[in-house]
Amino acid sequence: MNATLRSALFALLPELVLLLTALFVLLSDSARIPGRRQPKGAPLWVALTGLLIAAAHTALSIAAPAWEGSVSFAGLELNPVSQLFKAMIIGSCAVACLLARTSREIDDRDKAELLGLLVVSALAHCLIVSASNLIVLFACLEMAWLGTYVLASFKREEPRSSEAGMKLYVYGALSSLLFAGGALVAYGVAGSFDIAAIRAPLAALGSAHDAASIGCLLLIFALFFSTVAARLALFPFHFAAVDGGEGAPIPVAAFQSAASLLAAVALAARVFLDLFSVRSAAGWSALEGVPWPYVLALFAAASMTLGNLAAISQNSLKRMLAYAALSQAGFLLIGLSVADGLGVASMIFSLFTYTVMILGAFFTIQCISGFYSGSQTSDDLSVLDGLAWREPFAAVALSCFLLGLIGVPPLSGFLGRFYLLNAALQGGHLWVAAIFVLNWVIGSAYMLRLVARFFKDEVAHRVDAGTKDVMFTRFEKAVLVFLMIPTIGLGIFSDPFMRYLSKSLSQSFELLTRSL
């Protein structure tokens, strides 16, 4: 066994662990030992154990990689950046599993199936991050889409959940059709499904300067761009994602808002930077005839604006956060449209901080609304009224996450936005920077409106000593504190993480990243 194969198998061990974990989760729920009582939380602890092993291995490969630069194996390209994305996806799945543990929207008899689907979906998202072959990428996208609309329609008794799953199914089928069309046309041009082998023939089409070649190149770009836009839920492909976020149970909505966005951003980077760009030490240059940075910036600006304006009028917490995710996708793509090391590093930093904050927000909201509304979880804004008087810890935690999402200093969300804005300015995208700042201000309106509700009706919601309207266990408080640490800490000590991102990009893509 050569060194490359050993390194590849070592890096792929987390995916193998996730696959085995999903199988054991389902077996732990179905297996019955005669004469013994089945442990109630067995599937959860099996899932968390497998996720912990996968996360620990991924962290080890990040801290002490077994290879230098990138290593390719069986249609997968493994590098420090892909390992970081994997770690964030596995962490998002672990938090979603913890949410499923206390969810009142899901029957206890169905939780093992939900946990198994979450782990399988995390496996698919991890493979998307590493895929460097169009056939492998198509298979992983299909696997992820199947998990997405099955999870979204998990509350079978609720019409909204079934409707969300059906809409995601239709959008997923359309997205798959577009991607397959783009892959087939690209194969016809290049004679290969490997992304690295397709780039040169596409560049030749752009430099041919005849209508047929340019038309073929633009057709391939349009097909792939539509797939990326649907996965990122950009405007105007956002409708199914918003309805899916509202109809899905909170654990699923949290997973989709975090892990699905991570995989979609990785897909966008793979398509735009590896397929339609020429790489140099200074960054990436778009292929001649495909000005994708300008197209991406235009769709990012539209998504930011629509997401923020639509979120202002929402009365559903899940729907509001779904529109916030649409806006966040627009913010992130500004860093990608700059097409250099600084922009990509800023995008990854902002994506990491957003992942932590959105998971923390959903975790807090489920604890609040589930206890407040009885047997079912309500996502109406009224559950936040007087929260500061009923449960001060919940008010502090949720304020931390919500204010971080809108970029209030000194929280990490502020530095994420600042780095993206700085990248846009240094890249000369002044009109994008202006829209960025405008949406930063608009986005603050609806999040501050949520925080203001915490102090509503002070006298009516003041409680006597020894009574509480909202219940938090010690374990739930520990999880929230764990999520608050990077939310606050990265806002103060961000330099080590940014240096690591710059080093990882340099090792993975041989870039010279501009200093911040």
Side-chain angles (χ1 to χ4, degrees):
M1 185 181 295
N2 58 43
T4 301
L5 182 58
R6 285 199 302 270
S7 299
L9 292 177
F10 177 82
L12 286 174
L13 190 58
E15 283 85 347
L16 298 176
V17 171
L18 290 178
L19 177 61
L20 293 175
T21 299
L23 294 175
F24 282 119
V25 165
L26 297 177
L27 288 174
S28 67
D29 181 62
S30 59
R32 292 290 186 273
I33 300 176
R36 292 189 180 182
R37 181 176 175 270
Q38 179 74 359
K40 182 179 180 180
L44 173 66
W45 292 115
V46 170
L48 291 179
T49 301
L51 290 168
L52 180 61
I53 294 172
H57 184 278
T58 306
L60 178 62
S61 67
I62 292 174
W67 69 92
E68 292 185 4
S70 300
V71 58
S72 297
F73 173 73
L76 301 173
E77 183 179 352
L78 309 167
N79 53 55
V81 176
S82 67
Q83 294 300 99
L84 179 62
F85 271 78
K86 276 195 223 174
M88 291 191 283
I89 291 170
I90 294 170
S92 301
C93 184
V95 175
C97 290
L98 291 175
L99 281 168
R101 169 181 173 267
T102 57
S103 176
R104 302 189 181 188
E105 298 175 279
I106 305 165
D107 192 275
D108 288 341
R109 295 171 296 180
D110 298 329
K111 287 185 177 180
E113 286 82 357
L114 178 66
L115 294 172
L117 285 170
L118 285 172
V119 175
V120 170
S121 188
L123 169 62
H125 287 83
C126 288
L127 291 172
I128 289 174
V129 167
S130 302
S132 61
N133 180 283
L134 294 181
I135 293 297
V136 175
L137 191 54
F138 178 78
C140 296
L141 286 171
E142 283 297 285
M143 185 177 174
W145 267 117
L146 284 170
T148 297
Y149 47 73
V150 171
L151 287 169
S153 58
F154 205 81
K155 296 191 296 181
R156 295 179 294 273
E157 69 282 357
E158 289 195 17
R160 281 194 314 172
S161 184
S162 301
E163 178 187 356
M166 181 56 66
K167 288 182 177 179
L168 287 172
Y169 176 82
V170 173
Y171 269 71
L174 177 61
S175 171
S176 300
L177 178 63
L178 294 172
F179 185 88
L184 289 174
V185 178
Y187 180 81
V189 171
S192 174
F193 286 111
D194 287 330
I195 292 177
I198 297 173
R199 185 191 305 115
L202 292 185
L205 286 179
S207 58
H209 300 294
D210 63 89
S213 298
I214 296 297
C216 182
L217 179 60
L218 290 178
L219 173 63
I220 296 173
F221 172 75
L223 291 171
F224 280 121
F225 180 83
S226 300
T227 303
V228 172
R231 286 298 300 175
L232 283 167
L234 297 179
F235 171 82
F237 301 90
H238 63 283
F239 299 103
V242 173
D243 291 340
E246 182 184 21
I250 284 182
V252 176
F255 181 78
Q256 291 178 349
S257 297
S260 295
L261 183 59
L262 285 163
V265 169
L267 172 65
R270 181 72 69 185
V271 169
F272 296 126
L273 300 183
D274 285 355
L275 197 58
F276 293 103
S277 298
V278 177
R279 193 164 64 208
S280 65
W284 292 267
S285 300
L287 296 182
E288 189 175 356
V290 187
W292 65 262
Y294 300 100
V295 176
L296 195 60
L298 182 63
F299 275 83
S303 299
M304 280 190 295
T305 305
L306 176 72
N308 283 323
L309 292 178
I312 292 176
S313 60
Q314 301 303 318
N315 292 317
S316 165
L317 283 168
K318 289 194 288 186
R319 195 171 184 85
M320 179 181 289
L321 291 178
Y323 276 114
L326 168 62
S327 174
Q328 182 66 23
F331 281 113
L332 293 170
L333 291 184
I334 298 300
L336 186 60
S337 68
V338 176
D340 65 6
L342 175 61
V344 175
S346 302
M347 178 188 71
I348 297 174
F349 179 88
S350 183
L351 181 59
F352 178 81
T353 58
Y354 167 79
T355 300
V356 173
M357 292 182 295
I358 197 67
L359 290 172
F362 271 114
F363 199 98
T364 313
I365 288 169
Q366 175 171 284
C367 293
I368 296 168
S369 58
F371 186 84
Y372 185 74
S373 57
S375 61
Q376 296 294 322
T377 299
S378 170
D379 66 337
D380 190 85
L381 298 185
S382 61
V383 299
L384 302 180
D385 292 347
L387 184 63
W389 319 121
R390 291 186 284 117
E391 182 56 69
F393 174 79
V396 171
L398 191 54
S399 297
C400 178
F401 299 129
L402 295 180
L403 294 179
L405 286 172
I406 61 174
V408 173
L411 300 174
S412 58
F414 168 75
L415 282 183
R417 297 280 178 91
F418 174 78
Y419 289 149
L420 289 171
L421 179 61
N422 180 47
L425 291 173
Q426 290 199 31
H429 298 194
L430 300 181
W431 69 273
V432 174
I435 297 177
F436 186 103
V437 173
L438 179 62
N439 278 280
W440 195 343
V441 175
I442 296 174
S444 302
Y446 58 88
M447 288 299 184
L448 292 176
R449 179 165 66 99
L450 290 183
V451 176
R453 298 187 76 110
F454 298 170
F455 304 94
K456 187 177 180 181
D457 298 332
E458 174 179 351
V459 176
H461 287 283
R462 191 179 298 276
V463 297
D464 298 329
T467 64
K468 287 186 178 180
D469 292 337
V470 180
M471 182 67 67
F472 278 85
T473 65
R474 292 181 179 179
F475 179 76
E476 290 166 345
K477 287 186 176 181
V479 172
L480 289 176
V481 170
F482 178 79
L483 293 172
M484 288 170 65
I485 291 174
T487 301
I488 300 173
L490 285 177
I492 302 172
F493 305 104
S494 64
D495 287 346
F497 189 44
M498 287 299 292
R499 284 197 296 269
Y500 167 77
L501 290 177
S502 298
K503 180 181 177 182
S504 298
L505 288 170
S506 177
Q507 292 177 346
S508 302
F509 306 110
E510 299 178 357
L511 296 179
L512 298 177
T513 306
R514 293 199 312 265
S515 60
L516 293 171

